[in-house]
């Protein structure tokens, strides 16, 4: 499989995962407007396009469709997202915690810039970047759909690295 084909599959997979509700969504009809209190945010496991153990909550819109959306992502301490790109511009605000953002197709912790609560970043489409978390961090991502994440090295894509697990004496894929 070529790198471009793997990236396309990865992009389609994230859109499909978000479309079927793998992220907690706001109960409010976004066509009428949305007001969400912190206590009303419903966290769920983040899409399979992100490494294990992150959580996400969709506040507005639908990342699988054209149009504006707002998504919160909670990442644990010592979390790492390998170099990746997005098909559309990405605007991120750090709500709580601290993480380090690096730019480029190869991860280098020493050159990653720390960004704490209140920090902001905006990146054009197809800009390679990576993340290291220094503590539990909540990010708010605002972008337009359809949204996707394409890993620079397809081997870093958690959707493609499903390891077989032993169940009842036979190897099965862990979903």
């Amino acid at each position: 499989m070529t790198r471009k084909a793997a990236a396309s599959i990865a992009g389609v997979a994230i859109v499909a995962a978000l479309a079927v509700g793998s992220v907690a969504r706001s109960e409010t009809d976004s066509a009428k407007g949305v007001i969400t209190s912190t206590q009303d945010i419903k966290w769920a496991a983040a899409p399979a396009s992100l490494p294990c153990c992150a959580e996400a909550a969709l506040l507005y819109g639908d990342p699988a469709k054209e149009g504006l959306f707002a998504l919160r992502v909670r990442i644990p301490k010592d979390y790492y997202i390998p170099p990746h790109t997005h098909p559309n511009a990405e605007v991120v605000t750090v709500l709580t915690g601290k993480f380090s953002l690096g730019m480029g197709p190869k991860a280098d912790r020493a050159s990653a810039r720390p960004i704490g609560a209140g920090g902001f970043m905006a990146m054009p489409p197809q800009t390679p970047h990576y993340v290291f978390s220094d503590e539990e961090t909540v990010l708010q991502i605002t972008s337009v759909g359809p949204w996707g994440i394409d890993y620079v090295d397809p081997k870093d894509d958690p959707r493609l690295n499903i390891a077989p697990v032993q169940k009842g004496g036979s190897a099965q894929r862990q979903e």
Side-chain angles (χ1 to χ4, degrees), residues 143-155:
S143 187
V144 294
W147 185 80
I149 182 170
D150 297 317
Y151 288 89
V152 171
D153 183 344
K155 289 185 265 179

Side-chain angles (χ1 to χ4, degrees), residues 33-175:
V34 173
I35 298 173
T36 303
S37 299
T38 303
Q39 65 271 18
D40 294 332
I41 293 173
K42 296 177 181 164
W43 294 96
S49 60
L50 293 175
C52 175
C53 306
E55 294 178 304
L58 184 60
L59 302 177
Y60 179 81
D62 185 344
K65 297 178 181 174
E66 288 190 26
L68 183 67
F69 71 89
L71 175 73
R72 291 226 177 133
V73 178
R74 182 166 42 202
I75 58 176
K77 180 180 180 182
D78 300 324
Y79 193 72
Y80 169 62
I81 304 173
H84 63 279
T85 63
H86 303 286
N88 298 312
E90 182 177 56
V91 176
V92 178
T93 303
V94 180
L95 301 178
T96 64
K98 180 177 147 191
F99 78 110
S100 296
L101 174 73
M103 304 301 289
K106 294 192 183 229
D108 176 16
R109 178 107 169 133
S111 67
R113 182 176 174 188
I115 303 172
F120 173 86
M121 62 183 202
M123 287 179 286
Q126 304 302 327
T127 301
H129 59 286
Y130 49 91
V131 171
F132 296 96
S133 69
D134 302 315
E135 57 190 67
E136 181 178 277
T137 303
V138 176
L139 310 169
Q140 183 159 315
I141 300 170
T142 305
S143 187
V144 294
W147 185 80
I149 182 170
D150 297 317
Y151 288 89
V152 171
D153 183 344
K155 289 185 265 179
D156 288 333
D157 190 331
R159 296 163 290 195
L160 303 177
N161 292 328
I162 299 172
V165 293
Q166 296 295 323
K167 287 187 180 179
S170 63
Q172 296 180 357
R173 294 180 70 93
Q174 181 178 9
E175 301 296 333

